[in-house]
Amino acid sequence: MSHKVLITAHIFDEGGPEAGEVLTDAGLEIVYPEVPRPWGEDELVECLVGVSGVVAAPNTFTDAVFARSPEVKVVSRWGVGYDTIDVEAATHHGVVVATTPGTLHDSVADLVFGLMLSVARNLSLSDRQVRQGTWNYRTGQLVWGKRLGIVGLGTIGKAVARRARGFNMDVVACDVVHAEQVAGELGVRYVSLDELLSTADFVTLHANLTEDSVGMIDEAALRRMKSTACLINAGRGALVDQPALVKALQDGAIAGAGLDVFEEEPLPKGHPLTQLDNCVLTPHCGSFSIETIRVVSRLAALNVAQVLSGERCPCALNPEVYDSPALRAPLRE
Ligand code: 8YV
């Protein structure tokens, strides 16, 4: 009997048939969720009945979900963020958790520049007005030559820094670890978060969402920013205290925001952010370029195929699971 692989990442098939073929060529059967969203724990567990592997959207995989879904052997995140997965619990239950590292930074970095330019020059507001017949000039500001502050100089942060050179930007960054050599090659200078916030014209967030970083851009942080500055967030919504951001945008404490991610997704209809002209909102689509979808889907599928064929998965976040007697998909020696 072939193993079933559940696809909850709705974008998986959009890059063409190749990613699905990685699974079917490995003798796996692709299935799609039949339970309507939104999914709490019970709904997700229901979707996982009879399922051995998952190509996963940011669904919440808790200890209880792993315990109640004993057939699941591998969860492969379509993407790089795994803040919705309890990896320690997965290891305890013998489940391999994998992501698709190094696949989506260019797509997200492109979107960051799109948001930055759009906020700086009021592009989406102008577009709405022109469509409504209003020919209204809005004064914007330059991106060229400005100071860019990158919070989190990981793979995506570095891709943003590379683009910033073409805009003659002065790039500063802060991070918990310093990669001085790479930063030097990219012309990036490490500064404290305080200095970054108080001097940057554009602040872009690329830190992982952890217990330490949740709400890091709070009211005090927003107050430290220049009143002419713009905040860009294509990382995780919960890095920002959203009510505080709404207030900062309403009061003019900062000039604008470009947001691809939110505390609650989808952003509820009529949310205060949707009433503000000085922010640009997109639906968590940073990695949704056709080239990137192809690469991410393929790697996400490969992770599942490897685990279910008894191979070691190089993208496993918890390789220690291979030494555990609880391992649900034994290695083929
Ligand atoms: C994904 C992301 O597109 O990789 C991530 O962590 O946030 C995005 O790039 C998103 O999670 C949809 O699956």
Side-chain angles (χ1 to χ4, degrees), residues 3 63 65-74 89-90 92-96 307-308 321 324-330:
H3 287 293
D63 180 73
V65 169
F66 290 119
R68 294 175 60 193
S69 310
E71 286 155 291
V72 172
K73 297 163 183 62
V74 50
H92 172 77
H93 290 286
V95 179
V96 179
V307 175
L308 296 181
V321 73
S324 162
L327 184 67
R328 291 182 182 174

mmCIF file with all atom_site columns, all heavy atoms in Angstrom, residues 3 63 65-74 89-90 92-96 307-308 321 324-330:
data_model
loop_
_atom_site.group_PDB
_atom_site.id
_atom_site.type_symbol
_atom_site.label_atom_id
_atom_site.label_alt_id
_atom_site.label_comp_id
_atom_site.label_asym_id
_atom_site.label_entity_id
_atom_site.label_seq_id
_atom_site.pdbx_PDB_ins_code
_atom_site.Cartn_x
_atom_site.Cartn_y
_atom_site.Cartn_z
_atom_site.occupancy
_atom_site.B_iso_or_equiv
_atom_site.pdbx_formal_charge
_atom_site.auth_seq_id
_atom_site.auth_comp_id
_atom_site.auth_asym_id
_atom_site.auth_atom_id
_atom_site.pdbx_PDB_model_num
ATOM 1   N N   . HIS A 1 3   ? 2.137  5.099  0.538  1.00 0.00 ? 3   HIS A N   1
ATOM 2   C CA  . HIS A 1 3   ? 1.948  6.122  1.563  1.00 0.00 ? 3   HIS A CA  1
ATOM 3   C C   . HIS A 1 3   ? 1.175  7.306  0.974  1.00 0.00 ? 3   HIS A C   1
ATOM 4   O O   . HIS A 1 3   ? 1.391  7.681  -0.182 1.00 0.00 ? 3   HIS A O   1
ATOM 5   C CB  . HIS A 1 3   ? 3.311  6.647  2.016  1.00 0.00 ? 3   HIS A CB  1
ATOM 6   C CG  . HIS A 1 3   ? 4.080  5.697  2.876  1.00 0.00 ? 3   HIS A CG  1
ATOM 7   N ND1 . HIS A 1 3   ? 3.663  5.346  4.135  1.00 0.00 ? 3   HIS A ND1 1
ATOM 8   C CD2 . HIS A 1 3   ? 5.256  5.057  2.667  1.00 0.00 ? 3   HIS A CD2 1
ATOM 9   C CE1 . HIS A 1 3   ? 4.556  4.527  4.665  1.00 0.00 ? 3   HIS A CE1 1
ATOM 10  N NE2 . HIS A 1 3   ? 5.530  4.327  3.794  1.00 0.00 ? 3   HIS A NE2 1
ATOM 11  N N   . ASP A 1 63  ? 2.489  19.379 20.025 1.00 0.00 ? 63  ASP A N   1
ATOM 12  C CA  . ASP A 1 63  ? 2.772  18.068 20.604 1.00 0.00 ? 63  ASP A CA  1
ATOM 13  C C   . ASP A 1 63  ? 1.526  17.175 20.475 1.00 0.00 ? 63  ASP A C   1
ATOM 14  O O   . ASP A 1 63  ? 1.619  16.008 20.076 1.00 0.00 ? 63  ASP A O   1
ATOM 15  C CB  . ASP A 1 63  ? 3.154  18.278 22.078 1.00 0.00 ? 63  ASP A CB  1
ATOM 16  C CG  . ASP A 1 63  ? 3.477  16.974 22.760 1.00 0.00 ? 63  ASP A CG  1
ATOM 17  O OD1 . ASP A 1 63  ? 4.538  16.413 22.477 1.00 0.00 ? 63  ASP A OD1 1
ATOM 18  O OD2 . ASP A 1 63  ? 2.642  16.517 23.574 1.00 0.00 ? 63  ASP A OD2 1
ATOM 19  N N   . VAL A 1 65  ? -0.915 17.350 18.310 1.00 0.00 ? 65  VAL A N   1
ATOM 20  C CA  . VAL A 1 65  ? -1.173 16.950 16.917 1.00 0.00 ? 65  VAL A CA  1
ATOM 21  C C   . VAL A 1 65  ? -0.289 15.750 16.551 1.00 0.00 ? 65  VAL A C   1
ATOM 22  O O   . VAL A 1 65  ? -0.760 14.768 15.975 1.00 0.00 ? 65  VAL A O   1
ATOM 23  C CB  . VAL A 1 65  ? -0.945 18.132 15.941 1.00 0.00 ? 65  VAL A CB  1
ATOM 24  C CG1 . VAL A 1 65  ? -0.951 17.649 14.487 1.00 0.00 ? 65  VAL A CG1 1
ATOM 25  C CG2 . VAL A 1 65  ? -2.005 19.208 16.148 1.00 0.00 ? 65  VAL A CG2 1
ATOM 26  N N   . PHE A 1 66  ? 0.993  15.804 16.933 1.00 0.00 ? 66  PHE A N   1
ATOM 27  C CA  . PHE A 1 66  ? 1.879  14.670 16.621 1.00 0.00 ? 66  PHE A CA  1
ATOM 28  C C   . PHE A 1 66  ? 1.425  13.415 17.371 1.00 0.00 ? 66  PHE A C   1
ATOM 29  O O   . PHE A 1 66  ? 1.412  12.317 16.817 1.00 0.00 ? 66  PHE A O   1
ATOM 30  C CB  . PHE A 1 66  ? 3.334  15.012 16.981 1.00 0.00 ? 66  PHE A CB  1
ATOM 31  C CG  . PHE A 1 66  ? 3.949  16.044 16.081 1.00 0.00 ? 66  PHE A CG  1
ATOM 32  C CD1 . PHE A 1 66  ? 4.404  17.263 16.578 1.00 0.00 ? 66  PHE A CD1 1
ATOM 33  C CD2 . PHE A 1 66  ? 4.064  15.807 14.712 1.00 0.00 ? 66  PHE A CD2 1
ATOM 34  C CE1 . PHE A 1 66  ? 4.968  18.211 15.744 1.00 0.00 ? 66  PHE A CE1 1
ATOM 35  C CE2 . PHE A 1 66  ? 4.628  16.755 13.867 1.00 0.00 ? 66  PHE A CE2 1
ATOM 36  C CZ  . PHE A 1 66  ? 5.076  17.965 14.383 1.00 0.00 ? 66  PHE A CZ  1
ATOM 37  N N   . ALA A 1 67  ? 1.028  13.600 18.640 1.00 0.00 ? 67  ALA A N   1
ATOM 38  C CA  . ALA A 1 67  ? 0.607  12.445 19.446 1.00 0.00 ? 67  ALA A CA  1
ATOM 39  C C   . ALA A 1 67  ? -0.658 11.809 18.861 1.00 0.00 ? 67  ALA A C   1
ATOM 40  O O   . ALA A 1 67  ? -0.795 10.587 18.844 1.00 0.00 ? 67  ALA A O   1
ATOM 41  C CB  . ALA A 1 67  ? 0.371  12.883 20.889 1.00 0.00 ? 67  ALA A CB  1
ATOM 42  N N   . ARG A 1 68  ? -1.564 12.657 18.360 1.00 0.00 ? 68  ARG A N   1
ATOM 43  C CA  . ARG A 1 68  ? -2.855 12.146 17.866 1.00 0.00 ? 68  ARG A CA  1
ATOM 44  C C   . ARG A 1 68  ? -2.794 11.697 16.391 1.00 0.00 ? 68  ARG A C   1
ATOM 45  O O   . ARG A 1 68  ? -3.785 11.221 15.865 1.00 0.00 ? 68  ARG A O   1
ATOM 46  C CB  . ARG A 1 68  ? -3.923 13.241 18.028 1.00 0.00 ? 68  ARG A CB  1
ATOM 47  C CG  . ARG A 1 68  ? -4.217 13.571 19.499 1.00 0.00 ? 68  ARG A CG  1
ATOM 48  C CD  . ARG A 1 68  ? -5.191 14.738 19.597 1.00 0.00 ? 68  ARG A CD  1
ATOM 49  N NE  . ARG A 1 68  ? -6.466 14.459 18.953 1.00 0.00 ? 68  ARG A NE  1
ATOM 50  C CZ  . ARG A 1 68  ? -7.385 15.389 18.682 1.00 0.00 ? 68  ARG A CZ  1
ATOM 51  N NH1 . ARG A 1 68  ? -7.151 16.665 18.978 1.00 0.00 ? 68  ARG A NH1 1
ATOM 52  N NH2 . ARG A 1 68  ? -8.527 15.054 18.096 1.00 0.00 ? 68  ARG A NH2 1
ATOM 53  N N   . SER A 1 69  ? -1.636 11.880 15.757 1.00 0.00 ? 69  SER A N   1
ATOM 54  C CA  . SER A 1 69  ? -1.511 11.514 14.336 1.00 0.00 ? 69  SER A CA  1
ATOM 55  C C   . SER A 1 69  ? -0.327 10.555 14.189 1.00 0.00 ? 69  SER A C   1
ATOM 56  O O   . SER A 1 69  ? 0.719  10.910 13.619 1.00 0.00 ? 69  SER A O   1
ATOM 57  C CB  . SER A 1 69  ? -1.281 12.767 13.484 1.00 0.00 ? 69  SER A CB  1
ATOM 58  O OG  . SER A 1 69  ? -2.226 13.750 13.803 1.00 0.00 ? 69  SER A OG  1
ATOM 59  N N   . PRO A 1 70  ? -0.484 9.324  14.689 1.00 0.00 ? 70  PRO A N   1
ATOM 60  C CA  . PRO A 1 70  ? 0.669  8.417  14.789 1.00 0.00 ? 70  PRO A CA  1
ATOM 61  C C   . PRO A 1 70  ? 1.224  7.952  13.450 1.00 0.00 ? 70  PRO A C   1
ATOM 62  O O   . PRO A 1 70  ? 2.337  7.436  13.382 1.00 0.00 ? 70  PRO A O   1
ATOM 63  C CB  . PRO A 1 70  ? 0.104  7.233  15.592 1.00 0.00 ? 70  PRO A CB  1
ATOM 64  C CG  . PRO A 1 70  ? -1.373 7.316  15.436 1.00 0.00 ? 70  PRO A CG  1
ATOM 65  C CD  . PRO A 1 70  ? -1.713 8.754  15.240 1.00 0.00 ? 70  PRO A CD  1
ATOM 66  N N   . GLU A 1 71  ? 0.437  8.161  12.357 1.00 0.00 ? 71  GLU A N   1
ATOM 67  C CA  . GLU A 1 71  ? 0.950  7.709  11.057 1.00 0.00 ? 71  GLU A CA  1
ATOM 68  C C   . GLU A 1 71  ? 1.878  8.725  10.395 1.00 0.00 ? 71  GLU A C   1
ATOM 69  O O   . GLU A 1 71  ? 2.631  8.393  9.487  1.00 0.00 ? 71  GLU A O   1
ATOM 70  C CB  . GLU A 1 71  ? -0.235 7.408  10.122 1.00 0.00 ? 71  GLU A CB  1
ATOM 71  C CG  . GLU A 1 71  ? -0.945 6.119  10.499 1.00 0.00 ? 71  GLU A CG  1
ATOM 72  C CD  . GLU A 1 71  ? -2.385 6.128  10.033 1.00 0.00 ? 71  GLU A CD  1
ATOM 73  O OE1 . GLU A 1 71  ? -3.193 6.900  10.564 1.00 0.00 ? 71  GLU A OE1 1
ATOM 74  O OE2 . GLU A 1 71  ? -2.689 5.366  9.108  1.00 0.00 ? 71  GLU A OE2 1
ATOM 75  N N   . VAL A 1 72  ? 1.813  9.971  10.870 1.00 0.00 ? 72  VAL A N   1
ATOM 76  C CA  . VAL A 1 72  ? 2.623  11.022 10.235 1.00 0.00 ? 72  VAL A CA  1
ATOM 77  C C   . VAL A 1 72  ? 4.104  10.814 10.555 1.00 0.00 ? 72  VAL A C   1
ATOM 78  O O   . VAL A 1 72  ? 4.495  10.749 11.719 1.00 0.00 ? 72  VAL A O   1
ATOM 79  C CB  . VAL A 1 72  ? 2.165  12.425 10.700 1.00 0.00 ? 72  VAL A CB  1
ATOM 80  C CG1 . VAL A 1 72  ? 3.126  13.509 10.199 1.00 0.00 ? 72  VAL A CG1 1
ATOM 81  C CG2 . VAL A 1 72  ? 0.753  12.704 10.216 1.00 0.00 ? 72  VAL A CG2 1
ATOM 82  N N   . LYS A 1 73  ? 4.906  10.728 9.513  1.00 0.00 ? 73  LYS A N   1
ATOM 83  C CA  . LYS A 1 73  ? 6.337  10.450 9.694  1.00 0.00 ? 73  LYS A CA  1
ATOM 84  C C   . LYS A 1 73  ? 7.210  11.643 9.327  1.00 0.00 ? 73  LYS A C   1
ATOM 85  O O   . LYS A 1 73  ? 8.342  11.755 9.755  1.00 0.00 ? 73  LYS A O   1
ATOM 86  C CB  . LYS A 1 73  ? 6.733  9.251  8.823  1.00 0.00 ? 73  LYS A CB  1
ATOM 87  C CG  . LYS A 1 73  ? 6.011  7.974  9.233  1.00 0.00 ? 73  LYS A CG  1
ATOM 88  C CD  . LYS A 1 73  ? 6.074  6.912  8.151  1.00 0.00 ? 73  LYS A CD  1
ATOM 89  C CE  . LYS A 1 73  ? 5.277  5.676  8.546  1.00 0.00 ? 73  LYS A CE  1
ATOM 90  N NZ  . LYS A 1 73  ? 3.825  5.919  8.755  1.00 0.00 ? 73  LYS A NZ  1
ATOM 91  N N   . VAL A 1 74  ? 6.668  12.526 8.502  1.00 0.00 ? 74  VAL A N   1
ATOM 92  C CA  . VAL A 1 74  ? 7.462  13.687 8.071  1.00 0.00 ? 74  VAL A CA  1
ATOM 93  C C   . VAL A 1 74  ? 6.543  14.872 7.786  1.00 0.00 ? 74  VAL A C   1
ATOM 94  O O   . VAL A 1 74  ? 5.486  14.715 7.166  1.00 0.00 ? 74  VAL A O   1
ATOM 95  C CB  . VAL A 1 74  ? 8.332  13.349 6.824  1.00 0.00 ? 74  VAL A CB  1
ATOM 96  C CG1 . VAL A 1 74  ? 7.529  12.696 5.711  1.00 0.00 ? 74  VAL A CG1 1
ATOM 97  C CG2 . VAL A 1 74  ? 9.064  14.576 6.296  1.00 0.00 ? 74  VAL A CG2 1
ATOM 98  N N   . ALA A 1 89  ? 8.787  18.605 20.008 1.00 0.00 ? 89  ALA A N   1
ATOM 99  C CA  . ALA A 1 89  ? 7.741  17.580 20.152 1.00 0.00 ? 89  ALA A CA  1
ATOM 100 C C   . ALA A 1 89  ? 7.798  16.601 18.982 1.00 0.00 ? 89  ALA A C   1
ATOM 101 O O   . ALA A 1 89  ? 7.633  15.384 19.166 1.00 0.00 ? 89  ALA A O   1
ATOM 102 C CB  . ALA A 1 89  ? 6.366  18.239 20.218 1.00 0.00 ? 89  ALA A CB  1
ATOM 103 N N   . ALA A 1 90  ? 8.063  17.122 17.782 1.00 0.00 ? 90  ALA A N   1
ATOM 104 C CA  . ALA A 1 90  ? 8.173  16.244 16.611 1.00 0.00 ? 90  ALA A CA  1
ATOM 105 C C   . ALA A 1 90  ? 9.276  15.218 16.838 1.00 0.00 ? 90  ALA A C   1
ATOM 106 O O   . ALA A 1 90  ? 9.097  14.020 16.590 1.00 0.00 ? 90  ALA A O   1
ATOM 107 C CB  . ALA A 1 90  ? 8.467  17.075 15.358 1.00 0.00 ? 90  ALA A CB  1
ATOM 108 N N   . HIS A 1 92  ? 10.451 14.162 19.667 1.00 0.00 ? 92  HIS A N   1
ATOM 109 C CA  . HIS A 1 92  ? 9.994  13.245 20.714 1.00 0.00 ? 92  HIS A CA  1
ATOM 110 C C   . HIS A 1 92  ? 9.099  12.146 20.117 1.00 0.00 ? 92  HIS A C   1
ATOM 111 O O   . HIS A 1 92  ? 9.165  10.982 20.514 1.00 0.00 ? 92  HIS A O   1
ATOM 112 C CB  . HIS A 1 92  ? 9.252  14.061 21.790 1.00 0.00 ? 92  HIS A CB  1
ATOM 113 C CG  . HIS A 1 92  ? 8.576  13.220 22.808 1.00 0.00 ? 92  HIS A CG  1
ATOM 114 N ND1 . HIS A 1 92  ? 9.272  12.595 23.822 1.00 0.00 ? 92  HIS A ND1 1
ATOM 115 C CD2 . HIS A 1 92  ? 7.277  12.860 22.957 1.00 0.00 ? 92  HIS A CD2 1
ATOM 116 C CE1 . HIS A 1 92  ? 8.424  11.888 24.548 1.00 0.00 ? 92  HIS A CE1 1
ATOM 117 N NE2 . HIS A 1 92  ? 7.205  12.038 24.055 1.00 0.00 ? 92  HIS A NE2 1
ATOM 118 N N   . HIS A 1 93  ? 8.273  12.529 19.145 1.00 0.00 ? 93  HIS A N   1
ATOM 119 C CA  . HIS A 1 93  ? 7.345  11.559 18.546 1.00 0.00 ? 93  HIS A CA  1
ATOM 120 C C   . HIS A 1 93  ? 7.950  10.841 17.331 1.00 0.00 ? 93  HIS A C   1
ATOM 121 O O   . HIS A 1 93  ? 7.252  10.073 16.661 1.00 0.00 ? 93  HIS A O   1
ATOM 122 C CB  . HIS A 1 93  ? 6.041  12.254 18.137 1.00 0.00 ? 93  HIS A CB  1
ATOM 123 C CG  . HIS A 1 93  ? 5.226  12.688 19.323 1.00 0.00 ? 93  HIS A CG  1
ATOM 124 N ND1 . HIS A 1 93  ? 4.522  11.807 20.107 1.00 0.00 ? 93  HIS A ND1 1
ATOM 125 C CD2 . HIS A 1 93  ? 5.044  13.909 19.881 1.00 0.00 ? 93  HIS A CD2 1
ATOM 126 C CE1 . HIS A 1 93  ? 3.930  12.463 21.095 1.00 0.00 ? 93  HIS A CE1 1
ATOM 127 N NE2 . HIS A 1 93  ? 4.224  13.741 20.976 1.00 0.00 ? 93  HIS A NE2 1
ATOM 128 N N   . GLY A 1 94  ? 9.207  11.155 17.019 1.00 0.00 ? 94  GLY A N   1
ATOM 129 C CA  . GLY A 1 94  ? 9.883  10.434 15.936 1.00 0.00 ? 94  GLY A CA  1
ATOM 130 C C   . GLY A 1 94  ? 9.526  10.941 14.550 1.00 0.00 ? 94  GLY A C   1
ATOM 131 O O   . GLY A 1 94  ? 9.665  10.212 13.559 1.00 0.00 ? 94  GLY A O   1
ATOM 132 N N   . VAL A 1 95  ? 9.085  12.194 14.478 1.00 0.00 ? 95  VAL A N   1
ATOM 133 C CA  . VAL A 1 95  ? 8.689  12.775 13.181 1.00 0.00 ? 95  VAL A CA  1
ATOM 134 C C   . VAL A 1 95  ? 9.819  13.672 12.653 1.00 0.00 ? 95  VAL A C   1
ATOM 135 O O   . VAL A 1 95  ? 10.340 14.520 13.386 1.00 0.00 ? 95  VAL A O   1
ATOM 136 C CB  . VAL A 1 95  ? 7.399  13.614 13.328 1.00 0.00 ? 95  VAL A CB  1
ATOM 137 C CG1 . VAL A 1 95  ? 6.997  14.249 11.998 1.00 0.00 ? 95  VAL A CG1 1
ATOM 138 C CG2 . VAL A 1 95  ? 6.268  12.750 13.884 1.00 0.00 ? 95  VAL A CG2 1
ATOM 139 N N   . VAL A 1 96  ? 10.172 13.499 11.391 1.00 0.00 ? 96  VAL A N   1
ATOM 140 C CA  . VAL A 1 96  ? 11.167 14.377 10.769 1.00 0.00 ? 96  VAL A CA  1
ATOM 141 C C   . VAL A 1 96  ? 10.474 15.673 10.358 1.00 0.00 ? 96  VAL A C   1
ATOM 142 O O   . VAL A 1 96  ? 9.401  15.640 9.741  1.00 0.00 ? 96  VAL A O   1
ATOM 143 C CB  . VAL A 1 96  ? 11.804 13.712 9.524  1.00 0.00 ? 96  VAL A CB  1
ATOM 144 C CG1 . VAL A 1 96  ? 12.826 14.644 8.871  1.00 0.00 ? 96  VAL A CG1 1
ATOM 145 C CG2 . VAL A 1 96  ? 12.448 12.376 9.897  1.00 0.00 ? 96  VAL A CG2 1
ATOM 146 N N   . VAL A 1 307 ? 12.338 10.945 3.095  1.00 0.00 ? 307 VAL A N   1
ATOM 147 C CA  . VAL A 1 307 ? 12.036 10.347 4.405  1.00 0.00 ? 307 VAL A CA  1
ATOM 148 C C   . VAL A 1 307 ? 11.225 9.066  4.226  1.00 0.00 ? 307 VAL A C   1
ATOM 149 O O   . VAL A 1 307 ? 11.526 8.034  4.827  1.00 0.00 ? 307 VAL A O   1
ATOM 150 C CB  . VAL A 1 307 ? 11.286 11.351 5.304  1.00 0.00 ? 307 VAL A CB  1
ATOM 151 C CG1 . VAL A 1 307 ? 10.865 10.681 6.616  1.00 0.00 ? 307 VAL A CG1 1
ATOM 152 C CG2 . VAL A 1 307 ? 12.160 12.570 5.589  1.00 0.00 ? 307 VAL A CG2 1
ATOM 153 N N   . LEU A 1 308 ? 10.220 9.123  3.352  1.00 0.00 ? 308 LEU A N   1
ATOM 154 C CA  . LEU A 1 308 ? 9.338  7.951  3.214  1.00 0.00 ? 308 LEU A CA  1
ATOM 155 C C   . LEU A 1 308 ? 10.001 6.816  2.426  1.00 0.00 ? 308 LEU A C   1
ATOM 156 O O   . LEU A 1 308 ? 9.520  5.686  2.439  1.00 0.00 ? 308 LEU A O   1
ATOM 157 C CB  . LEU A 1 308 ? 8.002  8.361  2.589  1.00 0.00 ? 308 LEU A CB  1
ATOM 158 C CG  . LEU A 1 308 ? 7.172  9.326  3.450  1.00 0.00 ? 308 LEU A CG  1
ATOM 159 C CD1 . LEU A 1 308 ? 5.856  9.665  2.773  1.00 0.00 ? 308 LEU A CD1 1
ATOM 160 C CD2 . LEU A 1 308 ? 6.911  8.758  4.852  1.00 0.00 ? 308 LEU A CD2 1
ATOM 161 N N   . VAL A 1 321 ? 16.635 13.127 15.341 1.00 0.00 ? 321 VAL A N   1
ATOM 162 C CA  . VAL A 1 321 ? 15.519 12.170 15.354 1.00 0.00 ? 321 VAL A CA  1
ATOM 163 C C   . VAL A 1 321 ? 15.959 10.818 14.770 1.00 0.00 ? 321 VAL A C   1
ATOM 164 O O   . VAL A 1 321 ? 15.409 9.771  15.113 1.00 0.00 ? 321 VAL A O   1
ATOM 165 C CB  . VAL A 1 321 ? 14.294 12.744 14.588 1.00 0.00 ? 321 VAL A CB  1
ATOM 166 C CG1 . VAL A 1 321 ? 14.516 12.744 13.079 1.00 0.00 ? 321 VAL A CG1 1
ATOM 167 C CG2 . VAL A 1 321 ? 13.014 12.003 14.935 1.00 0.00 ? 321 VAL A CG2 1
ATOM 168 N N   . SER A 1 324 ? 16.839 8.309  17.291 1.00 0.00 ? 324 SER A N   1
ATOM 169 C CA  . SER A 1 324 ? 15.820 8.013  18.298 1.00 0.00 ? 324 SER A CA  1
ATOM 170 C C   . SER A 1 324 ? 15.098 6.696  17.993 1.00 0.00 ? 324 SER A C   1
ATOM 171 O O   . SER A 1 324 ? 14.731 6.435  16.841 1.00 0.00 ? 324 SER A O   1
ATOM 172 C CB  . SER A 1 324 ? 14.809 9.172  18.321 1.00 0.00 ? 324 SER A CB  1
ATOM 173 O OG  . SER A 1 324 ? 13.631 8.756  18.960 1.00 0.00 ? 324 SER A OG  1
ATOM 174 N N   . PRO A 1 325 ? 14.855 5.897  19.014 1.00 0.00 ? 325 PRO A N   1
ATOM 175 C CA  . PRO A 1 325 ? 14.080 4.672  18.795 1.00 0.00 ? 325 PRO A CA  1
ATOM 176 C C   . PRO A 1 325 ? 12.637 4.972  18.387 1.00 0.00 ? 325 PRO A C   1
ATOM 177 O O   . PRO A 1 325 ? 11.940 4.108  17.848 1.00 0.00 ? 325 PRO A O   1
ATOM 178 C CB  . PRO A 1 325 ? 14.119 3.969  20.169 1.00 0.00 ? 325 PRO A CB  1
ATOM 179 C CG  . PRO A 1 325 ? 14.638 4.968  21.132 1.00 0.00 ? 325 PRO A CG  1
ATOM 180 C CD  . PRO A 1 325 ? 15.304 6.066  20.381 1.00 0.00 ? 325 PRO A CD  1
ATOM 181 N N   . ALA A 1 326 ? 12.203 6.239  18.621 1.00 0.00 ? 326 ALA A N   1
ATOM 182 C CA  . ALA A 1 326 ? 10.828 6.621  18.271 1.00 0.00 ? 326 ALA A CA  1
ATOM 183 C C   . ALA A 1 326 ? 10.661 6.908  16.782 1.00 0.00 ? 326 ALA A C   1
ATOM 184 O O   . ALA A 1 326 ? 9.528  7.061  16.301 1.00 0.00 ? 326 ALA A O   1
ATOM 185 C CB  . ALA A 1 326 ? 10.429 7.861  19.077 1.00 0.00 ? 326 ALA A CB  1
ATOM 186 N N   . LEU A 1 327 ? 11.775 6.969  16.033 1.00 0.00 ? 327 LEU A N   1
ATOM 187 C CA  . LEU A 1 327 ? 11.718 7.343  14.601 1.00 0.00 ? 327 LEU A CA  1
ATOM 188 C C   . LEU A 1 327 ? 10.645 6.555  13.860 1.00 0.00 ? 327 LEU A C   1
ATOM 189 O O   . LEU A 1 327 ? 10.636 5.329  13.866 1.00 0.00 ? 327 LEU A O   1
ATOM 190 C CB  . LEU A 1 327 ? 13.092 7.080  13.952 1.00 0.00 ? 327 LEU A CB  1
ATOM 191 C CG  . LEU A 1 327 ? 13.241 7.511  12.493 1.00 0.00 ? 327 LEU A CG  1
ATOM 192 C CD1 . LEU A 1 327 ? 13.184 9.035  12.358 1.00 0.00 ? 327 LEU A CD1 1
ATOM 193 C CD2 . LEU A 1 327 ? 14.559 6.987  11.907 1.00 0.00 ? 327 LEU A CD2 1
ATOM 194 N N   . ARG A 1 328 ? 9.709  7.296  13.246 1.00 0.00 ? 328 ARG A N   1
ATOM 195 C CA  . ARG A 1 328 ? 8.548  6.628  12.629 1.00 0.00 ? 328 ARG A CA  1
ATOM 196 C C   . ARG A 1 328 ? 8.845  6.113  11.209 1.00 0.00 ? 328 ARG A C   1
ATOM 197 O O   . ARG A 1 328 ? 8.133  5.245  10.712 1.00 0.00 ? 328 ARG A O   1
ATOM 198 C CB  . ARG A 1 328 ? 7.351  7.589  12.592 1.00 0.00 ? 328 ARG A CB  1
ATOM 199 C CG  . ARG A 1 328 ? 6.786  7.877  13.987 1.00 0.00 ? 328 ARG A CG  1
ATOM 200 C CD  . ARG A 1 328 ? 5.574  8.804  13.875 1.00 0.00 ? 328 ARG A CD  1
ATOM 201 N NE  . ARG A 1 328 ? 5.023  9.140  15.188 1.00 0.00 ? 328 ARG A NE  1
ATOM 202 C CZ  . ARG A 1 328 ? 4.031  10.016 15.364 1.00 0.00 ? 328 ARG A CZ  1
ATOM 203 N NH1 . ARG A 1 328 ? 3.490  10.652 14.335 1.00 0.00 ? 328 ARG A NH1 1
ATOM 204 N NH2 . ARG A 1 328 ? 3.582  10.266 16.587 1.00 0.00 ? 328 ARG A NH2 1
ATOM 205 N N   . ALA A 1 329 ? 9.817  6.722  10.529 1.00 0.00 ? 329 ALA A N   1
ATOM 206 C CA  . ALA A 1 329 ? 10.170 6.258  9.168  1.00 0.00 ? 329 ALA A CA  1
ATOM 207 C C   . ALA A 1 329 ? 11.589 5.727  9.220  1.00 0.00 ? 329 ALA A C   1
ATOM 208 O O   . ALA A 1 329 ? 12.543 6.487  9.021  1.00 0.00 ? 329 ALA A O   1
ATOM 209 C CB  . ALA A 1 329 ? 10.072 7.405  8.173  1.00 0.00 ? 329 ALA A CB  1
ATOM 210 N N   . PRO A 1 330 ? 11.780 4.463  9.497  1.00 0.00 ? 330 PRO A N   1
ATOM 211 C CA  . PRO A 1 330 ? 13.130 3.937  9.705  1.00 0.00 ? 330 PRO A CA  1
ATOM 212 C C   . PRO A 1 330 ? 14.026 4.149  8.496  1.00 0.00 ? 330 PRO A C   1
ATOM 213 O O   . PRO A 1 330 ? 13.546 4.152  7.354  1.00 0.00 ? 330 PRO A O   1
ATOM 214 C CB  . PRO A 1 330 ? 12.909 2.449  9.966  1.00 0.00 ? 330 PRO A CB  1
ATOM 215 C CG  . PRO A 1 330 ? 11.447 2.252  10.071 1.00 0.00 ? 330 PRO A CG  1
ATOM 216 C CD  . PRO A 1 330 ? 10.759 3.439  9.512  1.00 0.00 ? 330 PRO A CD  1
#
